[in-house]
């Protein structure tokens, strides 16, 4: 194999703060992302082969930890996760979860923009079809995603973060990230407040339609309860 494999993976969730995590870690002098954000090897480009993947990270300085933050990895198959485990058995894993109602709305707005559509022109039925699609539901089933990954990797290799905490206490979150990845936590402690003040998912823009709020509550209530049990944290405010 020519090159090197990532030292850590950010596996998701989509529209939950992974871009913020990428930006913060990119400022850290002990971390490098030579392949950029969202490499999509383990979900979209596996057929290119592990040598191609390793080659993406070959030019990184030897004294830096290299990462691959691709939120789509949360939703890969059990077989795909088993392959990650065989290939990168000791890699620390980072997962950020956002209120799945907000996440689903944010993702739907992104899909609308990809289609060059104005959200105000789209019906409730269009949004409900997106919310009920298989991909949307898998990406919002945090407990299901993590349970599939935890069937292969030990729990101590996971750092599970909440978007709520990224917004409320970004410094504290970054401290935890540094500890999990084994990089110097003192460096971000010296960063100016303005660096941490960058809004997370600032591009969502359009507020959630009230007509869609209850259908989304009904859709995600069981998933929120399951995730709350998994991480041992009360998340009932996500449904209010």
């Amino acid at each position: 194999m020519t090159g090197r494999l990532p030292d850590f993976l950010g596996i998701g969730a989509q529209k939950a703060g992974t871009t913020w995590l990428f930006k913060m870690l990119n400022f850290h002098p002990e971390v490098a992302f030579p392949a950029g954000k969202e490499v999509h090897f383990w979900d979209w480009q596996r057929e290119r082969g592990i040598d191609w993947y390793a080659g993406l990270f070959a030019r990184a300085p030897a004294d830096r930890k290299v990462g691959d933050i691709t939120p789509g990895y949360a939703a890969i198959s059990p077989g795909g996760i088993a392959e990650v485990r065989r290939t990168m058995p000791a890699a620390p894993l980072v997962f950020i979860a956002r209120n799945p109602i907000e996440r689903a709305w944010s993702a739907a707005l992104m899909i609308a923009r990809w289609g060059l559509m104005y959200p105000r022109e789209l019906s409730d039925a269009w949004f409900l079809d997106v919310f009920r699609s298989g991909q949307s539901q898998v990406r919002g089933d945090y407990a299901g995603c993590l349970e599939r990954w935890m069937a292969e990797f030990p729990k101590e290799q996971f750092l599970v973060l909440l978007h709520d905490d990224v917004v409320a206490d970004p410094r504290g979150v970054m401290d935890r990230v540094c500890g999990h990845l084994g990089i110097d936590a003192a460096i971000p402690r010296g960063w100016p407040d303005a660096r941490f003040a960058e809004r997370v998912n600032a591009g969502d823009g359009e507020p959630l339609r009230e007509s869609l709020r209850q259908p989304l509550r009904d859709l995600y209530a069981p998933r929120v309860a399951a995730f709350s049990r998994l991480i041992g944290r009360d998340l009932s405010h996500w449904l209010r």
Side-chain angles (χ1 to χ4, degrees):
M1 181 173 63
T2 304
R4 61 187 285 193
L5 293 171
D7 297 292
F8 66 90
L9 291 179
I11 62 172
Q14 181 200 52
K15 308 301 289 182
T18 55
T19 298
W20 176 88
L21 177 65
F22 171 77
K23 288 179 178 178
M24 294 301 105
L25 286 173
N26 226 3
F27 284 122
H28 200 293
E30 296 177 5
V31 178
F33 292 97
K37 182 176 183 281
E38 301 204 27
V39 179
H40 284 290
F41 174 71
W42 295 106
D43 54 350
W44 294 354
Q45 306 201 72
R46 182 62 192 86
E47 71 283 353
R48 290 178 178 261
I50 201 70
D51 286 336
W52 176 85
Y53 186 49
L56 298 176
F57 306 96
R59 66 181 183 273
D63 60 347
R64 294 194 184 194
K65 292 185 182 290
V66 299
D68 174 5
I69 298 178
T70 302
Y73 293 164
I76 65 175
S77 69
I81 297 167
E83 188 175 6
V84 179
R85 170 70 168 161
R86 289 191 297 272
T87 308
M88 304 167 58
L93 306 169
V94 182
F95 181 84
I96 307 178
R98 181 184 184 185
N99 181 333
I101 292 173
E102 295 176 358
R103 193 219 67 80
W105 175 244
S106 180
L109 292 176
M110 178 178 68
I111 291 168
R113 290 170 184 135
W114 283 348
L116 303 179
M117 298 178 287
Y118 292 109
R120 65 177 178 272
E121 298 175 341
L122 297 170
S123 67
D124 283 4
W126 184 90
F127 280 105
L128 288 170
D129 283 344
V130 173
F131 299 152
R132 292 167 181 157
S133 69
Q135 275 295 309
S136 182
Q137 292 198 50
V138 166
R139 290 175 186 272
D141 181 12
Y142 306 141
C145 290
L146 283 175
E147 284 167 354
R148 286 190 291 276
W149 276 86
M150 288 177 177
E152 294 292 341
F153 284 86
K155 286 189 177 182
E156 57 267 23
Q157 282 181 234
F158 292 85
L159 176 63
V160 179
L161 304 169
L162 296 186
H163 179 275
D164 308 32
D165 297 333
V166 173
V167 173
D169 182 22
R171 286 185 178 275
V173 169
M174 193 62 191
D175 213 62
R176 294 175 62 196
V177 170
C178 289
H180 189 63
L181 300 184
I183 56 177
D184 189 350
I187 292 173
R189 289 173 193 156
W191 290 348
D193 290 341
R195 180 166 294 178
F196 291 100
E198 180 179 344
R199 287 182 59 201
V200 182
N201 294 105
D204 288 359
E206 195 107 1
L208 174 62
R209 292 180 191 174
E210 286 305 313
S211 56
L212 296 172
R213 192 175 299 277
Q214 192 57 50
L216 281 167
R217 283 191 188 117
D218 295 340
L219 186 63
Y220 282 108
R223 294 173 174 84
V224 169
F227 184 55
S228 182
R229 289 192 297 270
L230 180 67
I231 66 171
R233 185 163 170 179
D234 180 13
L235 300 172
S236 58
H237 63 283
W238 280 359
L239 299 172
R240 289 198 290 270

